[in-house]
Amino acid sequence: MIARSFGIVLACLAAPSFAQDLMRSVELPAHRALVSQSAGQPLTSFETDGCSGGMSSSWRLVADTFPKFRAVYENHPPWESCCVIHDRAYHNAAGAKSADASFDARLQADRALRACVKDFGASHAQDYAAQYDMTPDQVTSAMSITAEAMYMAVRFGGGPCTGLPWRWGFGYPGCSVFATGLPASE
């Protein structure tokens, strides 16, 4: 599954419309499982880890370990609020009621995360340029690269029913694409 997902992500770079259709067809069984298995299930209370995949926790560890790093780069990624907004959408699968709507909502949430980080970089470029001893263009470029990397990471590792704590629909009990009795299509 991971190797197949990685190949799909690489295909996105080459031919976005073809790759999106391919991703949809590969990912829809997991969205069907999530929609089917979450129906009527209570949603857990919202919790966030900031930027998932260890980004925020690693950042805090480095900041706690190296006070000079913390003085320049703060205790958390400066765009962490973008991740919290993204986590809110992921928590309840953006309220999607069908597999197709779930796929579309996840793609929208991931694109919004990417745009938020890029916008954050552009709007703070002047401030961070002096703080980080960089030019505003370098700050904007670094934030753009970070945004693209985060987008690829969430597209690759954030699908529903993966068992990962940062998965799409993480506010519902774990789901499985291997559960029996799932509808073949909607």
Side-chain angles (χ1 to χ4, degrees), residues 27-87:
E27 205 175 289
L28 274 178
H31 286 279
R32 283 188 202 102
L34 174 65
V35 169
S36 173
Q37 295 171 34
S38 66
Q41 294 293 320
L43 190 64
T44 62
S45 298
F46 176 74
E47 292 183 24
T48 182
D49 61 355
C51 297
S52 299
M55 181 180 279
S56 286
S57 59
S58 297
W59 192 289
R60 280 188 288 280
L61 176 66
V62 171
D64 289 345
T65 305
F66 302 102
K68 289 182 181 180
F69 177 93
R70 182 177 54 243
V72 175
Y73 299 108
E74 307 172 22
N75 285 332
H76 55 85
W79 58 84
E80 191 172 70
S81 62
C82 299
C83 298
V84 174
I85 293 167
H86 186 252
D87 282 357

Side-chain angles (χ1 to χ4, degrees), residues 36-37 176-183:
S36 173
Q37 295 171 34
S176 170
V177 294
F178 302 110
T180 60
L182 293 178

Side-chain angles (χ1 to χ4, degrees), residues 58-185:
S58 297
W59 192 289
R60 280 188 288 280
L61 176 66
V62 171
D64 289 345
T65 305
F66 302 102
K68 289 182 181 180
F69 177 93
R70 182 177 54 243
V72 175
Y73 299 108
E74 307 172 22
N75 285 332
H76 55 85
W79 58 84
E80 191 172 70
S81 62
C82 299
C83 298
V84 174
I85 293 167
H86 186 252
D87 282 357
R88 288 196 181 281
Y90 263 56
H91 180 246
N92 72 343
K97 302 294 183 206
S98 72
D100 284 316
S102 180
F103 177 89
D104 292 341
R106 178 170 174 251
L107 183 60
Q108 171 58 32
D110 294 348
R111 287 176 173 166
L113 172 65
R114 177 177 59 190
C116 184
V117 173
K118 284 183 179 185
D119 291 347
F120 182 91
S123 66
H124 292 82
Q126 291 293 337
D127 298 334
Y128 283 117
Q131 186 176 353
Y132 297 162
D133 193 27
M134 298 169 75
T135 68
D137 286 344
Q138 288 172 320
V139 171
T140 301
S141 179
M143 292 285 190
S144 182
I145 291 167
T146 300
E148 292 297 335
M150 291 172 69
Y151 176 78
M152 296 303 288
V154 295
R155 292 307 302 159
F156 178 68
C161 300
T162 63
L164 297 170
W166 51 76
R167 72 189 178 281
W168 179 251
F170 71 85
Y172 294 108
C175 65
S176 170
V177 294
F178 302 110
T180 60
L182 293 178
S185 64

